[in-house]
Structures are given as C-alpha cells and as structure tokens.
Amino acid sequence: MSETVLMKGNEAVAEAALRAGLDFYAAYPITPQTEILEYLSKKMPELGRVCVQADSEITAINMIMGAAYTGKRVLTSSAGPGISLKQEGLSYCAANDLPVVYVDVQRGGNGLANMGSCQTEYKREVTGGGNGDYHAIILAPASVQETADMVSLAYELAEKYRNIVGIMTEATIGQLVEPVTFKEAVDPASLPVPSWAKTGKMISSSDEPIKPRIKDAKPKADRAKYFQMKEEVQMWESTNVDDADYVVFAFGAPSRVVYDALLILREEGQKIGMIRPQTLWPYPEKALEELKEDVKGLISLETNCTGQMLPDVALARDLHFKDRHVPVYSCAYIVLDRIPTVMQVVDDIKAIISGQTEEAY
Amino acid sequence: MAKRGIPVLKKPGGNFCPGCGHNIFHRLICEVIEELGYENNQMMCFAIGCACNHAAVFNGENTMGPHGRPASVATGVKRTNEEMLVTTYQGDGDAYVIGLQDTFNAAYRNERITQFVVNNTCFAMTGGQMGWTTLPGQKTATSQTGRDTDTTGAPLKFPELVRNDFNAAYAARGAVHNPKEIRKTKGYIRQALEAQIAGEGYSIVEAVSICPTNWHMSVDQSIDFLEKEVLGAFELGEIVKRRGE
Ligand SMILES: Cc1ncc(C[n+]2csc(CCOP(=O)(O)OP(=O)(O)O)c2C)c(N)n1
Ligand code: SF4
C-alpha cells in the first residue's frame, strides 16, 4: 500500500486507473468530470501511455473500442448527455464482448441538465443503455476511497466476464476531496495479453469472422453470462439491519446523509437500518436475506424525481417476501441542485413510520 | 510485382452484386497489404454498409464498429499498436455523411491511419438513397426528381478538403472500372500504406465505383454513366502527394 493522500474523487478515478494499468483513455470535456481528462492528459504522456482529447463523446467511445479490441485496458468518462452519446458504441462493445470501463459522473436532470449532485442516470445505466440485450455491471461508490477501489475492481470484473463495467459516481463524489490510499501500480506491459485480443494476425480459416453476430451460441452464452454475473457480482454494505423495523436503500452521496440520519433516529429509539447497494446492476437482492422476518417497510431513497431505483427495491422485496406484503416507500428528492439534509431525511423517515406517507409499491 | 491468384487475405466469394466495384477495390488493398508483408500485422476497421460484406470473406484481422465510426476505432487501434498497419474500409455514406465527424477529425489530427472509401454516389446497402456524394440532378430513392443542390448541398470531395486544409500525408482518388484505372488505383493504395508505414501521417484513398443495383442500370450502362457523369464531378489522381515525392 502506498501513502495516503488528499484527492478529489475525479482525480482518484484517474490515478486509480493509471495504477490499474490503463493503456488508453479518450474523452471530451464536460462538467463535473473534466478533472479526469485533465489529470490523464498530463500523466499519461509522462508514463508513455495514450490520452486523446476526442472531438466528441461518440468518437471517444469508438476510440477506446478500437484499443479494447487489441486487449488494452481502456477508459472513457463523461456525464449526463455525454454518456447518452456513448450508448451506440457501448452496445457495439457488448456485441463484441469487449471489457471496456467507463465512468459516469452524474449531473442532474434532462437535456443539458444542471451541475447538481443527482442520481438521474440510474435507469439508463442499469438497463444497459444502448440498443440490444445486454447489461453493464454498474458500481456506485460513496466516497473517494471507494471510488479508487472500484476502479481496480472494475478492470478485474470487466476482464473476468468480458463485460462492460460502468462506475456511476455523481457530482459530489467527483468533486469531494478526501483521504485516499491507492493500490500499488501495475505496469500495463506486465499484464498478460488476453487470449481473445486481436493482435493483427490472420484469422485461421476455421474461425468464423464476426463470430458474435452470426452464431446462435452468442445469445445463449450472453444469457448464461448475465445470470452468472447476477449470482456472483452483487455487492452491498449494510448498517444496523438485523433489528431494523424499516430499512432504507440508498447509494452514493445520499447514503452518507442517511447514515447520519440513522444515528439521530436510533438515539430517538427508532430502529432503522440501511442497505447501501455498491452494485446497481446486478442489484443486491441477496441483501434482503439480512433483514428480520417482521420488517415493517422498505424505503427507496434517491436524488431524482421519478424514483428510478424504486422498482428494483420492489422487485427485490417480491423475490424475498413471498408470503406477506411488505410496503415499499419512495423518498425521491426532486431538488435537483443539492442532496437532502440530514434533518430532511429524518423528517421524511418519521413521516413514513407514522403512516403519513403512502406506500409506493 | 503484383501477384496473380487470390490474395491470402481473401476467401473466395462474397455477397456483392455482379459488376460491383467494392470487391475489386478490396482485393487490391489485400494484394498491397500482402506485398508489403503486413498480412499478419494489420487491422482493417470495417464500416457498416455494403463494406460489411467483406468481413465474411476476409482472412485478415478486423473490427466492426458503429456506422460512420471506423476512423475513430482505427485511431484507438493505431495509438496503442503503433507498429500495426491500421486501415478503415468504408462506403461514402459511412465515411462522409454520418461519419464525417470521425473522418474529418482523424484527418485534422493527422492520425497515422489509412482510410479506404468506396464512392458509389449513394447509400447502397439501404437501397440507394442520396448521399453527400450524389451528383447534382442525380435521381436516388430520396432525391426522386434529381438532387437539388440548393437545398441538399453539392457533392462533397473529401480528398480535396484534405488537400486544402489539412497537413495530411497522402490523398488520392482512383476508379476500378477498367484495367488502366485499376492499376493506377493499386499504386495509390501502395502510396497511402507506405505513407502510414513511414509514419508520415494520415492517408486516404477514395475509389469511385459503380452500383448497378441502386443506379438501376446494367453494368455496361453503369460504366458509361460513371465515365460520362461521375468522373466529371470527381477528378481522379493524386490529390495530396507524399512529401519528397
Ligand atoms: C446508426 C445507424 N444508422 C443507420 C444505419 C443504416 N445503414 C446501414 S448502411 C447505411 C448506408 C451505407 O451507405 P455507404 O456508407 O455509402 O455504403 P455502401 O453501402 O454504399 O457501400 C445505412 C444508412 C445503421 N446501420 N446505423
Ligand atoms: S448494392 Fe451496390 S454497392 Fe452494394 S454490393 Fe450491390 S452493387 Fe455493390
């Protein structure tokens, strides 16, 4: 382990990726992720690696696709509308089983969106995003340290499953300065060349070109892979759930507010727990095994106005509680330019406990 | 010297219409790659369009990316594999319409890749719609009374754009409808690939080609139309010569 340093979340993404053996990065500036591009545009040439400031998010995803085809560790990053532009490229990466990693530092809202710290990209990220029939593994860090840790994890998972991995942070996590300790650096030259990498050699005549598109085997293998990832990749952190009457589901920056709210509510004698999903796809359905049998309600808490995570909490509930109805409530914060305060969360949870809030599902 | 027989990079066959120039152009590229000794150290980034058909009859390493994006995919390959010979193979709709941004910016950066573009003055794969290379007055599925340049623009000449505004290493336009032009086009391909190998910068070779199917003509009529009309709008030859040549 190296020394602990103070760093912004976005810079931690960049530094952690370099240490994980990043060969190639391409991106286009957009707030609140631009520090990743700025950091890498300085550091990568010093290390003899390649950073390209692309002319758009579309060309950036296609550039990293090219490098990924040859087995390199690649990264692109963006926010809001920029990630929208990458969806066709990501779908092609899925079609060709390319283990690309991308970072979405969410901004808030539709269209141009604002600079708020929001979770308005949940729905797009967890459903795959582009056309077709695939999922990216989506990791959601809640601190700068966890951001750095998830970057190296992202490369492990991407290569293990030959799948896209997205790290979904948000403005607050990207801009937050916190202590962080990085893993030892890996030299990309020391990484083995994956067996599937395109090295420029002729394809043996027995190989079908463009394999993934024309063989029936591909959709079957995909289905098996997505079920396997669902089984093996779920990650979450739980706080005080064993005796909790109500359990809040919250990820990323708002989960830190919920944590403080739980302390206040505990002092007041309310038994509230939290499950913090660290993977949003696959959703940590297994976390519900930790809940007590007579839990009174589940709360989906997030910073977007439609309650994008809410259906996933309801589905997880249905999967776990087969014999009785456990209500699911929604706390969706529609103030797009800030995350809720601790007291706001305390009040909203109290309103649920006292029956003033209607269940959502 | 040119080899006779099918190049090792090519399988026999391919789903092209009779008379189509795609197969001739692609075969020439395969021959030159082999003559330069790069058949086991090359990546051809295929476009979406009739160009796709090559993937099934190409023994060389290749990639498939979104419609219009080969120049960007090729950039990622080349930047991380400097010794590899990296090319794109595209139609004019792919390279100059939806992918104009990628093509333009690759040329603008002087990216060390070679783009091969078949210009058949239309979107062939999707049924012969108008492209930015369609001739003034030319009838297509989406310009049924003839292309109106007032509202749709005039034919885009990308190699000429490269000559005037960029610092590219090499640009040429050839044709593949008779032996003389085929021989010349093969020479352009060689120059473009040698420019890349020598690290001189971006290179592009466009091949003007017939599409009897979407021009709704016989092969003979198509060749006639190409010579009388298309070559009037698109001049053949080396548009940017290599420095020192
Ligand atoms: C994003 C997207 N839009 C549209 C298409 C449909 N499409 C496939 S090929 C093509 C045009 C091909 O024309 P061109 O590049 O000139 O190649 P040609 O077939 O003439 O060789 C279009 C519009 C697509 N595949 N993807
Ligand atoms: S449609 Fe046109 S370009 Fe496509 S294969 Fe047929 S002749 Fe060639």
Side-chain angles (χ1 to χ4, degrees):
Chain A
M1 280 288 175
S2 50
E3 62 185 313
T4 301
V5 291
L6 268 180
M7 214 180 237
K8 260 190 184 188
N10 283 341
E11 289 168 352
V13 165
E15 181 60 30
L18 284 179
R19 285 169 183 254
L22 180 68
D23 284 295
F24 184 75
Y25 171 82
Y28 185 83
I30 184 173
T31 311
Q33 66 84 43
T34 307
E35 292 88 352
I36 304 175
L37 171 59
E38 290 172 350
Y39 193 94
L40 290 174
S41 68
K42 175 166 187 294
K43 294 277 172 137
M44 292 188 82
E46 290 170 9
L47 294 167
R49 309 192 205 165
V50 187
C51 168
V52 177
Q53 176 174 340
D55 45 274
S56 80
E57 290 84 351
I58 300 178
T59 52
I61 182 70
N62 285 289
M63 287 177 191
I64 74 160
M65 183 191 305
Y69 264 122
T70 68
K72 308 292 181 189
R73 286 198 165 171
V74 299
L75 181 72
T76 186
S77 58
S78 191
I83 300 283
S84 299
L85 288 180
K86 293 185 193 293
Q87 295 306 326
E88 185 198 28
L90 286 170
S91 178
Y92 274 78
C93 291
N96 292 288
D97 297 318
L98 297 176
V100 306
V101 175
Y102 72 93
V103 177
D104 179 358
V105 188
Q106 294 171 94
R107 42 202 257 167
N110 308 334
L112 178 61
N114 64 23
M115 299 306 136
S117 195
C118 288
Q119 298 178 324
T120 51
E121 313 306 323
Y122 180 97
K123 187 161 47 91
R124 175 180 65 201
E125 302 297 0
V126 303
T127 52
N131 58 298
D133 206 7
Y134 70 96
H135 282 285
I137 294 172
I138 301 296
L139 305 175
S143 66
V144 174
Q145 181 66 56
E146 197 174 33
T147 304
D149 295 344
M150 282 183 170
V151 170
S152 38
L153 175 67
Y155 287 102
E156 280 167 35
L157 292 173
E159 284 162 20
K160 178 172 178 190
Y161 296 104
R162 285 191 65 185
N163 204 72
I164 305 167
V165 179
I167 302 169
M168 192 171 86
T169 77
E170 50 205 281
T172 306
I173 307 290
Q175 299 300 322
L176 200 63
V177 177
E178 284 186 321
V180 52
T181 313
F182 291 101
K183 294 212 164 81
E184 290 302 333
V186 177
D187 178 3
S190 71
L191 293 169
V193 180
S195 59
W196 49 263
K198 292 179 181 284
T199 58
K201 298 228 166 17
M202 279 205 285
I203 301 165
S204 74
S205 51
S206 61
D207 272 0
E208 289 280 0
I210 49 169
K211 283 178 222 125
R213 296 207 318 153
I214 52 182
K215 278 196 180 156
D216 282 359
K218 168 75 173 155
K220 284 193 192 135
D222 275 355
R223 187 174 158 85
K225 178 172 88 169
Y226 293 123
F227 276 86
Q228 187 193 354
M229 290 192 293
K230 244 182 138 170
E231 187 56 34
E232 296 176 355
V233 183
Q234 293 183 30
M235 281 168 50
W236 68 92
E237 185 187 74
S238 43
T239 309
N240 295 340
V241 292
D242 332 353
D243 66 345
D245 291 327
Y246 291 86
V247 175
V248 182
F249 290 70
F251 66 96
S255 71
R256 298 174 65 153
V257 177
V258 173
Y259 188 85
D260 287 354
L262 295 193
L263 298 179
I264 293 173
L265 288 161
R266 276 272 155 182
E267 269 178 26
E268 294 179 9
Q270 300 287 2
K271 291 183 190 156
I272 315 290
M274 172 167 66
I275 287 173
R276 178 172 73 84
Q278 293 164 307
T279 54
L280 299 177
W281 196 92
Y283 200 73
E285 291 158 348
K286 292 181 189 178
L288 278 78
E289 288 162 18
E290 295 180 11
L291 308 191
K292 64 174 187 175
E293 261 314 295
D294 59 348
V295 65
K296 291 181 182 153
L298 311 182
I299 303 164
S300 177
L301 189 148
E302 54 201 305
T303 48
N304 53 60
C305 67
T306 54
Q308 298 188 15
M309 180 171 69
L310 181 62
D312 283 338
V313 177
L315 278 176
R317 180 263 331 256
D318 291 348
L319 208 61
H320 185 71
F321 296 101
K322 298 237 159 76
D323 303 330
R324 77 183 177 95
H325 178 71
V326 177
V328 174
Y329 302 92
S330 172
C331 285
Y333 293 92
I334 57 174
V335 186
L336 282 179
D337 56 355
R338 62 179 166 82
I339 50 181
T341 61
V342 174
M343 287 322 292
Q344 202 174 347
V345 169
V346 167
D347 289 347
D348 291 345
I349 292 177
K350 280 183 180 169
I352 289 169
I353 297 171
S354 63
Q356 292 166 45
T357 305
E358 271 189 42
E359 65 175 271
Y361 278 102
Chain B
M1 275 314 289
K3 288 183 197 167
R4 306 307 299 261
I6 296 174
V8 296
L9 282 172
K10 239 170 145 49
K11 293 190 180 107
N15 296 321
F16 294 94
C17 311
C20 178
H22 259 294
N23 230 356
I24 303 171
F25 189 44
H26 191 252
R27 179 192 164 124
L28 295 177
I29 298 165
C30 291
E31 284 179 4
V32 177
I33 290 173
E34 245 174 273
E35 286 163 20
L36 294 170
Y38 273 82
E39 67 272 20
N40 276 308
N41 187 18
Q42 68 81 38
M43 184 79 80
M44 187 172 285
C45 300
F46 281 120
I48 306 298
C50 287
C52 282
N53 291 333
H54 289 302
V57 287
F58 185 54
N59 285 323
E61 198 62 284
N62 60 88
T63 67
M64 188 67 79
H67 188 26
R69 313 297 162 209
S72 299
V73 177
T75 297
V77 177
K78 186 68 181 183
R79 292 287 189 111
T80 49
N81 299 272
E82 286 178 3
E83 302 304 317
M84 210 185 267
L85 187 62
V86 182
T87 60
T88 71
Y89 183 90
Q90 308 170 255
D92 52 273
D94 191 275
Y96 303 156
V97 185
I98 192 172
L100 184 57
Q101 174 176 9
D102 303 60
T103 305
F104 184 99
N105 282 288
Y108 174 76
R109 291 190 304 268
N110 206 12
E111 204 62 63
R112 278 137 182 81
I113 59 168
T114 304
Q115 286 193 260
F116 293 117
V117 181
V118 170
N119 172 2
N120 52 20
T121 74
C122 67
F123 285 16
M125 171 65 104
T126 43
Q129 296 80 16
M130 182 185 76
W132 291 181
T133 51
T134 299
L135 306 182
Q138 188 179 346
K139 289 182 181 161
T140 71
T142 52
S143 58
Q144 297 191 14
T145 55
R147 182 176 190 186
D148 175 1
T149 54
D150 274 356
T151 53
T152 67
L156 182 70
K157 298 173 191 171
F158 192 77
E160 281 83 346
L161 201 75
V162 166
R163 173 184 61 204
N164 296 339
D165 293 320
F166 303 136
N167 184 30
Y170 184 77
R173 183 182 293 111
V176 289
H177 64 291
N178 65 39
K180 184 168 142 242
E181 294 303 336
I182 289 174
R183 263 197 304 280
K184 279 198 203 159
T185 300
K186 186 166 174 184
Y188 303 154
I189 295 169
R190 179 177 271 275
Q191 289 293 322
L193 292 179
E194 282 179 352
Q196 180 184 157
I197 292 166
E200 293 165 21
Y202 175 84
S203 53
I204 181 166
V205 180
E206 179 183 306
V208 177
S209 166
I210 62 169
C211 175
T213 304
N214 289 299
W215 290 1
H216 306 291
M217 295 176 190
S218 69
V219 174
D220 285 347
Q221 287 168 331
S222 298
I223 290 176
D224 203 45
F225 180 75
L226 182 127
E227 286 178 338
K228 293 207 175 97
E229 304 291 335
V230 184
L231 296 186
F234 294 102
E235 243 174 88
L236 303 184
E238 290 187 308
I239 294 160
V240 177
K241 289 201 162 105
R242 289 170 70 191
R243 286 170 206 94
E245 290 280 316

